[in-house]
């Protein structure tokens, strides 16, 4: 699974659903019954799946909800398919070596820039260096934290360390150093202690030299401050929405509550992401699951869980379904679960599973196809398959050739996401072109409220209001002109409010607020203030 970008996209999750359904059916045929492990892995994944389904009633974007269901359904199916006795991690170390070697070999190919290589860093088949590095750290722990370490394990470890260094992931490099310290303290063989300590010093020096020479941008603290900016901005939202905002809800609403300039789909903290997407109950179930598993786990699994949790608090590892599956496999091996067998005849069991599989396969194929065409930049086709697919429709809106097309696409988006700035902007421009100034104001102000750091939005609004004032004065509709003037005058105060609401962290990141009106706009507002005597 890690080899298809870690199953990051919904269409890849649909493929995983199909594979897991086949495994479940094969397991039922083999055992002549439906049986599965009970416990917190099942509770957590069931809560997560149910949480995504239930957000359809209150989600920020009710259309994207079902793509979220497809994205995370493989986790529940994996728990049903997995067994505590199965070694679901046996191929992970080899996958880490193969991915690293192949990625390095492919790195000189220009066509793969942005895929295997991201900003000069090895991203592996995850296409994201941080997730790739965390995957390799898990591989490293699997091969070293065991009673008998073979020569091939040391070779594998060297490959993983090289891959982590080439990824340039600061957090994972720090976690690797912490893992090395834990390993040196844990291992009993004095010879291995000395070798490991020497290797740690050499690896740390090599990694430090590489990062200093090749990745000087990593010394920039903007990314670090940005993470905490995201976290702090989201806290009031999490408290206000105990059942979550739905899939992509955080992304679509952050413009209304952010206190700095940024636009991110994921908050770079998987616990907060769960809280934002589906609320407190699945997040609490996940925390209890991890704590209970950690208490019972073998030392090797304890280290994996500890390092993974530390990393996911500053990144979005669990948005890669394969990383979530690996963590679940560790948890299942460490849990005190019991096997539950449904009291059904073999024929009834098989028929029931087949019926459920047909439904799930149909749903996953439908949404998976839409996601796949969106991935291929075939946005029109994706939207034809699933018209409520906002991520596809927004590109159709950008590419709209006529007012009629723009109106239709914007209207479609606003049906399931009424606050989406791009769609509200389109509606504002259409209302303006038809002379409906009041509707233009409503749409434009809603768009600005969800994109408050965009100076261009305010300038665009001022341009339309200026034209409206001129038009109303010409037809001697002075009341309407005065109302438009009042909206113009409010824009400067709005900008001052946004500037005052910018947090200290918002001023410490690279993207600074640019909210000062150009001279010609400022002079125009001054003139209106003078004319109105305010």
């Amino acid at each position: 699974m890690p080899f298809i970008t870690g199953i990051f996209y919904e269409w890849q999750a649909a493929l995983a659903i199909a594979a897991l359904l086949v495994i479940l059916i094969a397991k039922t045929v083999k055992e002549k019954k439906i049986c599965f492990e009970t416990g917190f892995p099942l509770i957590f994944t069931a809560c997560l799946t149910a949480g995504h389904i239930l957000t359809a009633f209150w989600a920020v974007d009710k259309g994207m909800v079902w793509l979220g269901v497809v994205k995370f359904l493989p986790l529940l199916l994996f728990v049903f398919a997995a067994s505590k006795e199965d070694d679901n991690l046996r191929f992970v170390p080899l996958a880490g070596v193969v991915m690293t070697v192949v990625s390095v070999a492919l790195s000189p190919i220009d066509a793969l820039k942005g895929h295997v290589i991201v900003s000069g860093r090895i991203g592996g088949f995850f296409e994201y260096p941080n997730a790739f590095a965390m995957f390799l750290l898990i591989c490293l722990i699997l091969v070293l934290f065991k009673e008998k370490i073979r020569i091939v394990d040391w070779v594998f470890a060297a490959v993983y360390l090289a891959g982590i260094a080439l990824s340039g992931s600061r957090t994972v490099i720090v976690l690797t150093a912490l893992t090395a310290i834990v390993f040196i303290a844990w291992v009993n063989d004095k010879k291995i202690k000395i070798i490991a300590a020497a290797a740690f010093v050499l690896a740390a020096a090599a990694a430090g030299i590489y990062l200093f020479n090749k990745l000087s941008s990593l010394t920039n603290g903007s990314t670090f401050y940005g993470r905490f900016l995201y976290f702090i901005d989201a806290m009031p939202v999490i408290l206000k929405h105990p059942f979550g905002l739905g899939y992509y809800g955080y992304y679509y609403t952050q413009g209304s509550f952010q206190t700095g300039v940024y636009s991110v789909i994921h908050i770079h903290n998987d616990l907060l992401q769960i809280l934002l997407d589906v609320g407190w109950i699945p997040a609490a179930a996940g925390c209890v699951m991890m704590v209970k598993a950690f208490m019972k786990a073998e030392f090797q699994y304890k280290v994996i869980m500890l390092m993974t949790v530390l990393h996911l608090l500053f990144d979005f590892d669990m948005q890669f379904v394969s990383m979530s599956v690996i963590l679940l496999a560790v948890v299942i091996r460490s849990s005190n679960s019991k096997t539950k067998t449904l009291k059904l005849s073999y024929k009834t069991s098989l028929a029931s599973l087949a019926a459920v599989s047909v439904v799930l396969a149909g749903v996953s194929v439908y949404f998976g196809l839409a996601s796949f065409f969106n991935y291929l930049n075939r946005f029109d086709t994706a939207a034809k398959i699933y018209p409520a697919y906002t991520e596809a429709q927004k590109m159709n809106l950008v590419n709209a050739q006529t007012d009629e097309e723009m109106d239709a696409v914007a209207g479609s988006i606003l049906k399931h996401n009424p606050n989406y700035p791009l769609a509200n902007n389109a509606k504002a421009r259409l209302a303006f072109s038809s002379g409906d100034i009041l509707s233009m104001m409503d749409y434009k102000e809603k768009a600005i409220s969800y994109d408050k750091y965009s100076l261009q939005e305010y300038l665009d609004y001022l341009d339309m209001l200026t034209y409206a004032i001129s038009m109303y004065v010409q037809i001697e509709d002075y009341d309407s002109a005065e109302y438009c003037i009042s909206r113009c005058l409010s824009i400067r105060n709005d900008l001052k409010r946004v500037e005052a609401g910018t947090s200290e962290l918002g001023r410490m990141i690279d993207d600074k607020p640019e909210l000062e009106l150009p001279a010609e706009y400022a002079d125009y507002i001054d003139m209106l203030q003078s004319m109105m005597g305010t």
Side-chain angles (χ1 to χ4, degrees):
M1 288 195 294
F3 285 89
I4 46 174
T5 62
I7 310 184
F8 183 76
Y9 300 100
E10 298 87 3
W11 65 268
Q12 297 166 342
L15 293 176
I17 289 170
L20 287 165
L21 288 173
V22 171
I23 292 171
L24 278 168
I25 292 172
K27 178 181 178 183
T28 302
V29 170
K30 180 181 178 181
E31 299 181 358
K32 307 295 184 183
K33 58 187 177 181
I34 294 178
C35 57
F36 51 88
E37 302 279 340
T38 61
F40 268 95
L42 180 60
I43 293 171
F44 166 63
T45 54
C47 285
L48 188 67
T49 303
H52 276 287
I53 293 171
L54 291 173
T55 57
F57 293 103
W58 57 77
V60 170
D61 190 311
K62 293 178 173 60
M64 292 296 292
V65 164
W66 302 108
L67 288 150
V69 173
V70 171
K71 170 78 174 282
F72 294 103
L73 182 58
L75 302 185
L76 179 59
L77 295 180
F78 174 76
V79 172
F80 275 117
S83 170
K84 187 177 180 180
E85 283 71 37
D86 294 338
D87 185 5
N88 294 300
L89 300 169
R90 62 187 180 277
F91 296 118
V92 170
L94 179 59
V97 169
V98 172
M99 188 182 296
T100 303
V101 172
V102 173
S103 297
V104 172
L106 295 176
S107 62
I109 301 174
D110 288 337
L112 295 177
K113 298 291 174 61
H115 297 283
V116 174
I117 300 293
V118 181
S119 301
R121 301 162 59 190
I122 298 288
F125 286 72
F126 288 88
E127 299 184 357
Y128 184 56
N130 294 349
F132 170 62
M134 190 62 224
F135 174 64
L136 294 184
L137 179 55
I138 291 172
C139 294
L140 182 68
I141 296 168
L142 286 172
V143 299
L144 291 186
F145 283 82
K146 55 187 183 182
E147 290 301 319
K148 186 176 181 181
I149 305 174
R150 303 165 300 168
I151 293 176
V152 70
D153 294 326
W154 290 111
V155 174
F156 278 20
V159 174
Y160 303 145
L161 290 172
I164 291 170
L166 291 170
S167 76
S169 175
R170 290 172 296 179
T171 307
V172 176
I173 288 172
V174 171
L175 292 177
T176 302
L178 180 59
T179 301
I181 294 169
V182 172
F183 176 74
I184 292 167
W186 169 79
V187 71
N188 292 319
D189 191 309
K190 290 184 178 180
K191 184 178 179 181
I192 293 179
K193 276 184 186 286
I194 295 170
I195 293 172
F200 169 61
V201 172
L202 290 173
I209 293 169
Y210 174 80
L211 294 176
F212 181 79
N213 290 333
K214 300 294 184 181
L215 299 168
S216 59
S217 63
L218 292 178
T219 60
N220 191 333
S222 176
T223 302
F224 180 76
Y225 295 132
R227 296 283 199 273
F228 285 99
L229 175 62
Y230 310 155
F231 304 164
I232 292 171
D233 282 353
M235 288 302 177
V237 180
I238 290 169
L239 293 174
K240 188 177 179 181
H241 298 275
F243 299 107
L245 302 170
Y247 191 55
Y248 268 63
Y250 167 70
Y251 174 54
Y252 293 138
T253 57
Q254 66 191 225
S256 65
F257 58 77
Q258 63 191 143
T259 62
V261 182
Y262 60 85
S263 177
V264 292
I265 295 175
H266 305 108
I267 196 172
H268 290 78
N269 179 310
D270 278 312
L271 176 59
L272 295 184
Q273 191 71 57
I274 293 172
L275 287 163
L276 286 163
D277 287 351
V278 291
W280 301 358
I281 295 174
C287 290
V288 173
M289 176 189 75
M290 291 302 299
V291 171
K292 287 179 71 69
F294 185 84
M295 297 299 290
K296 296 180 181 298
E298 298 174 9
F299 190 76
Q300 179 192 57
Y301 293 151
K302 284 183 188 289
V303 178
I304 290 176
M305 284 188 271
L306 177 61
M307 297 305 160
T308 303
V309 168
L310 288 175
H311 191 251
L312 65 80
L313 292 177
F314 292 93
D315 223 311
F316 50 90
D317 297 333
M318 298 303 109
Q319 297 302 311
F320 295 87
V321 173
S322 64
M323 292 292 286
S324 297
V325 165
I326 290 171
L327 184 59
L328 279 172
V330 171
V331 169
I332 290 169
R333 293 277 287 180
S334 308
S335 64
N336 190 23
S337 59
K338 296 180 180 179
T339 302
K340 171 75 174 177
T341 301
L342 295 185
K343 295 179 180 179
L344 298 172
S345 67
Y346 171 59
K347 287 185 177 180
T348 304
S349 298
L350 194 58
S352 301
L353 182 57
V356 171
S357 297
V358 167
V359 173
L360 294 181
V363 170
S364 62
V365 167
Y366 175 67
F367 291 105
L369 276 174
S371 172
F372 182 63
F373 280 108
N374 186 65
Y375 177 79
L376 296 178
N377 296 331
R378 299 275 299 278
F379 309 114
D380 188 52
T381 304
K384 284 179 180 176
I385 294 171
Y386 182 47
Y389 194 173
T390 302
E391 287 300 286
Q393 290 285 34
K394 75 177 182 182
M395 297 308 300
N396 290 332
L397 186 57
V398 170
N399 297 328
Q401 300 296 313
T402 65
D403 286 354
E404 290 76 16
E405 186 181 355
M406 184 185 296
D407 187 42
V409 176
S412 175
I413 292 173
L414 293 177
K415 282 180 182 177
H416 50 267
N417 188 344
N419 299 316
Y420 193 56
L422 188 64
N424 278 304
N425 261 325
K427 283 287 192 178
R429 187 147 296 281
L430 290 166
F432 177 72
S433 65
S434 65
D436 188 352
I437 302 303
L438 287 177
S439 291
M440 178 274 289
M441 290 179 178
D442 288 341
Y443 284 121
K444 195 64 183 178
E445 289 179 7
K446 183 171 281 189
I448 289 173
S449 69
Y450 281 81
D451 195 11
K452 61 185 181 181
Y453 278 97
S454 174
L455 179 60
Q456 187 56 48
E457 293 294 340
Y458 298 95
L459 300 182
D460 188 42
Y461 191 23
L462 274 170
D463 287 338
M464 288 191 280
L465 288 172
T466 300
Y467 181 86
I469 292 168
S470 174
M471 180 186 70
Y472 284 130
V473 169
Q474 283 182 5
I475 62 174
E476 299 183 356
D477 184 353
Y478 297 114
D479 289 340
S480 296
E482 186 175 344
Y483 183 70
C484 290
I485 289 171
S486 71
R487 304 316 304 149
C488 282
L489 297 180
S490 72
I491 288 175
R492 176 177 281 169
N493 292 330
D494 291 341
L495 287 167
K496 288 180 179 178
R497 243 189 327 268
V498 175
E499 180 69 37
T502 302
S503 64
E504 287 301 314
L505 283 171
R507 301 181 193 282
M508 295 169 72
I509 61 176
D510 287 342
D511 294 320
K512 303 290 192 296
E514 296 180 3
L515 299 171
E516 186 175 346
L517 288 170
E520 62 270 26
Y521 288 91
D523 292 343
Y524 178 70
I525 290 178
D526 289 339
M527 183 267 290
L528 292 178
Q529 283 182 321
S530 176
M531 185 174 68
M532 297 297 291
T534 58

